[in-house]
Amino acid sequence: MKEPILSLIERANSYVSSIVWGMPMILLILGTGVLMTVRTRAIQLTRAAQVLRLTVIPTLKGITRRQPRRSGAVSPFEAFATAIAGTVGTGNIIGVVSAILTAGPGAVFWMWVSAFFGMATNYAENVLGIYYRRREPSGGYSGGAFYYIAYGVGRQGAAFAAAVFCILASFGMSGVQTNKIAVTVAGAVSDILPLSSVDRTRLIVGVGVAAVTALVILGGIRRIGRVAAMTVPALSVVFILLSTATVLMHLKGVPGVFSMIFSSAFSVRSAGGGILGYTFAQTVRKGMARGVFSNEAGLGSSVIAHSASDTDEPVVQGMWGVFEVFFDTFVICTLTALMFLLTFDTGALCADMEDSAMAMAMFSNNFGGFGTAAFSVMLPLFAFTSVLAWAYYGEKAVGFCFRSLKEIWRPLPVTLFRLCYVLVIAASTCVKSDLVWAIDDTCNGLMAVPNLIALVALSGSVARITENYFDRQRGLKVKPMRSAYPES
């Protein structure tokens, strides 16, 4: 009975995914990014110096690590760390490998395209997230796509749909990350354990991840932010060092890899006489889907974490959004792609290869047993921080859906969500990894649709808020645009 049910789920998801991630979605993602790039005057390029001055430089000096001024809020850096924890995960390593295996090296180019325009999209999300967020009685903030859809666009039904899709996506994302944690750990011990024990190990790992997740998420955004601020930067540094070392070891092959990426990106081979060749369509689709999965620009997810920031300036947190996408895709994903393509002969690769095993192999082939150990520790920790971040996203979505409840009853839906979230974490280790990936891709697409439409509708507001901030920076006496609500 189990197999027919899974088969039915797989077919249903495949049908929905083909609609959600069809060419209209790709055009909507790119179109929104292009529009935001134009409305912000290419802020990812023209304001690159300000991005560094407001994000990386203060972080290196330790300024953004100070305790937030308001109870229940987090510092801008902790908000960024939580958001980057949700984005830098298995999508950056195994997801990139999966995209190359199924769609070829050209998928990397379309990740870059989605990321370039995604920087402007993510900037706009964060600006609107801060501008339309709501103050909680505890002193913290609640914000996200559903808030600016409800109070900016004025579409309560679409906002509710966005929140529901966010809840579904949070379950999907936790399933993807935990599944890969279990597969990685089980793979690391497969040489010393019989097969039945490895299967049991995956379930034990899932239960362990669920238990630790429960302990952390009970502390709310403050605890999640602290864990992310301590974990993600250290893991990122280790990954960057190892991948850079690999690139240096194969330095002569780098030009050929870049040539392969660009040539494969526009490879059009006819399929049944179609106008757009199947290979090209797959390359674009996989590249865009994995790009969005990785950096989450346009999903309306990371803005939930950014909205909890203690900053009063929407544009300042928007700058963190620009850097987030740049770091996620142009740094981490690019290094993953280079490491993979420099390690393996692309002519011998095929879509049937196991992405998790290939990802581990690119570390072990270059660094031996140390590489296997590093990957077996690094990837699960990356994935775990993503699980924590998406738990918070789901909680805020649940809170939005039940915000009309009396104060005394509001914690109940969140508590039920936490319970279900923890159970899904444990159960996801027993499902095929490719099915988990597919379901989450679909959930991400469903979540993105109302958010992208709202961003287009509110693009004028983003432009005005941005212009207002830089006018004030130039010393002009204009009324600040920091919040949509007079009482704030």
Side-chain angles (χ1 to χ4, degrees):
M1 187 66 182
K2 179 180 177 182
E3 287 301 322
I5 293 176
L6 289 178
S7 178
L8 179 62
I9 294 174
E10 194 168 1
R11 289 197 303 271
N13 180 75
S14 178
Y15 174 75
V16 176
S17 180
S18 65
I19 298 174
V20 171
W21 283 109
M23 193 54 67
M25 170 61 90
I26 293 173
L27 293 176
L28 180 59
I29 293 172
L30 281 177
T32 302
V34 170
L35 175 63
M36 290 305 174
T37 299
V38 172
R39 296 304 297 262
T40 62
R41 301 177 183 177
I43 196 166
Q44 66 269 58
L45 293 177
T46 59
R47 300 290 183 178
Q50 283 93 330
V51 170
L52 293 176
R53 181 171 59 83
L54 294 171
T55 59
V56 180
I57 294 174
T59 300
L60 293 176
K61 292 180 178 179
I63 295 174
T64 54
R65 292 181 185 271
R66 66 185 185 276
Q67 288 297 315
R69 297 184 299 273
R70 299 185 184 93
S71 173
V74 295
S75 71
F77 174 72
E78 287 175 332
F80 161 77
T82 303
I84 204 71
T87 57
V88 177
T90 58
N92 301 77
I93 303 175
I94 296 179
V96 172
V97 171
S98 176
I100 294 173
L101 288 173
T102 57
V108 179
F109 173 81
W110 293 105
M111 286 184 192
W112 292 337
V113 171
S114 71
F116 174 77
F117 294 111
M119 286 190 284
T121 301
N122 211 33
Y123 167 81
E125 288 177 314
N126 289 353
V127 167
L128 294 172
I130 297 292
Y131 192 69
Y132 286 102
R133 67 186 178 180
R134 291 282 188 169
R135 181 78 62 84
E136 296 289 346
S138 61
Y141 296 101
S142 289
F146 15 91
Y147 281 88
Y148 54 74
I149 294 173
Y151 302 113
V153 183
R155 298 292 182 181
Q156 297 289 334
F160 181 81
V164 171
F165 293 147
C166 179
I167 295 168
L168 294 175
S170 70
F171 285 124
M173 187 66 75
S174 68
V176 166
Q177 306 294 348
T178 308
N179 188 279
K180 293 307 179 185
I181 293 174
V183 169
T184 301
V185 174
V189 299
S190 60
D191 294 335
I192 58 176
L193 293 177
L195 182 61
S196 60
S197 296
V198 171
D199 291 339
R200 194 178 302 116
T201 298
R202 292 178 59 174
L203 181 59
I204 293 173
V205 170
V207 173
V209 172
V212 178
T213 300
L215 292 175
V216 176
I217 64 178
L218 287 175
I221 183 62
R222 293 289 297 277
R223 186 178 296 173
I224 293 173
R226 284 195 294 270
V227 172
M230 291 186 295
T231 308
V232 175
L235 291 174
S236 299
V237 169
V238 173
F239 176 81
I240 290 171
L241 289 175
L242 291 176
S243 54
T244 301
T246 301
V247 172
L248 293 175
M249 288 162 55
H250 303 277
L251 196 57
K252 291 182 179 179
V254 172
V257 166
F258 276 101
S259 176
M260 185 193 318
I261 290 172
F262 285 105
S263 62
S264 300
F266 299 96
S267 175
V268 180
R269 293 204 298 267
S270 174
I275 297 175
L276 184 64
Y278 175 77
T279 301
F280 179 62
Q282 274 288 91
T283 300
V284 176
R285 182 177 178 273
K286 283 291 182 182
M288 293 295 294
R290 284 290 175 260
V292 172
F293 179 92
S294 174
N295 60 55
E296 298 180 16
L299 261 65
S301 53
S302 64
V303 62
I304 301 172
H306 284 285
S307 296
S309 170
D310 191 55
T311 184
D312 291 322
E313 292 287 358
V315 170
V316 171
Q317 204 63 35
M319 295 296 190
W320 279 105
V322 174
F323 180 71
E324 176 189 332
V325 176
F326 173 81
F327 179 77
D328 176 272
T329 305
F330 285 105
V331 177
I332 302 296
C333 287
T334 298
L335 286 172
T336 299
L338 290 176
M339 188 178 185
F340 185 72
L341 293 172
L342 288 168
T343 302
F344 299 105
D345 176 13
T346 55
L349 299 177
C350 68
D352 292 334
M353 291 179 172
E354 175 61 40
D355 50 13
S356 300
M358 295 299 291
M360 179 178 285
M362 73 180 180
F363 281 86
S364 60
N365 285 10
N366 288 291
F367 302 104
F370 172 77
T372 301
F375 180 84
S376 300
V377 173
M378 186 168 49
L379 187 79
L381 288 176
F382 265 138
F384 177 66
T385 57
S386 295
V387 171
L388 296 181
W390 276 89
Y392 178 70
Y393 299 164
E395 281 188 20
K396 286 300 180 182
V398 170
F400 177 84
C401 291
F402 294 95
R403 67 193 186 283
S404 60
L405 287 178
K406 291 183 178 180
E407 185 98 19
I408 192 174
W409 296 111
R410 286 182 192 174
L412 180 59
V414 173
T415 300
L416 292 175
F417 167 80
R418 288 174 174 173
L419 176 61
C420 293
Y421 192 83
V422 169
L423 291 175
V424 167
I425 287 174
S428 64
T429 59
C430 303
V431 183
K432 292 190 301 180
S433 62
D434 55 348
L435 177 58
V436 178
W437 274 112
I439 291 174
D440 195 60
D441 269 349
T442 303
C443 292
N444 287 343
L446 290 171
M447 183 178 174
V449 172
N451 178 57
L452 292 168
I453 294 173
L455 290 176
V456 172
L458 295 171
S459 61
S461 297
V462 174
R464 288 190 295 273
I465 295 168
T466 302
E467 184 178 6
N468 175 272
Y469 174 80
F470 288 111
D471 282 346
R472 287 185 282 120
Q473 293 300 300
R474 291 196 301 268
L476 297 181
K477 300 297 182 181
V478 294
K479 183 180 179 180
M481 294 182 67
R482 296 192 178 105
S483 175
Y485 316 111
E487 66 274 13
S488 298

